[in-house]
Amino acid sequence: MTLLAAATAVRLNAYVPYSRFKVGAAIRATSGAVHVGCNVENVAYPEGTCAEAGAIAAMVAAGDSRIAEICVIADSPEPVPCCGGCRQKIAEFADPSVLVTLWTTDGKSRTITVADLLPGVFTAAHMDRT
Ligand code: THU
């Protein structure tokens, strides 16, 4: 199954009673395994958990820790850019050259690198004094 097919399928499971905006994400880990996530909202925090964060959590829970490729899909006029929090989460588990492809459900896509997704990223190296 392609990453796009996996993200498209999991998007249908999104729990979005507040936004009504379903998002699906699929990660190919460096192991080759595919991990998926959809957005899950709740009444106290209606923005809930993003699809990308869900896919990262599934990847870590499955024992993988590096992203080789990621794909996100939503029913929007233009490919939806990941939110700020998800950019930092993706950068935690992906090299700067990793490709992120953002899709609309009608087939429009935009591919960018993790470096372009989060320029000037804060990393653990910024805490080194030696
Ligand atoms: N959302 C995602 O899951 N990923 C994105 O990249 C953008 C936004 C979700 C969060 C919330 O459930 C809904 O979309 C509206 O913000």
Side-chain angles (χ1 to χ4, degrees):
M1 190 186 262
T2 65
L3 274 196
L4 176 59
T8 300
V10 73
R11 175 181 164 275
L12 300 178
N13 295 337
Y15 176 77
V16 290
Y18 307 105
S19 72
R20 306 264 168 216
F21 185 66
K22 293 186 171 199
V23 185
I27 290 170
R28 189 180 316 284
T30 52
S31 69
V34 172
H35 307 284
V36 296
C38 55
N39 51 336
V40 179
E41 300 177 347
N42 68 83
V43 66
Y45 303 99
E47 72 281 5
T49 303
C50 286
E52 298 90 323
I56 289 170
M59 176 187 77
V60 173
D64 280 324
S65 58
R66 297 303 296 170
I67 298 172
E69 193 186 346
I70 181 166
C71 164
V72 182
I73 185 166
D75 183 11
S76 51
E78 294 298 325
V80 166
C82 309
C83 79
C86 285
R87 291 174 195 228
Q88 187 75 49
K89 288 171 191 151
I90 292 167
E92 181 78 19
F93 298 101
D95 292 343
S97 61
V98 163
L99 297 179
V100 182
T101 303
L102 309 163
W103 289 89
T104 68
T105 50
D106 51 11
K108 204 180 281 186
S109 73
R110 176 175 170 235
T111 300
I112 55 172
T113 63
V114 168
D116 287 339
L117 194 63
L118 187 53
V121 60
F122 172 65
T123 68
H126 290 103
M127 295 186 287
D128 286 346
R129 291 293 287 172
T130 53

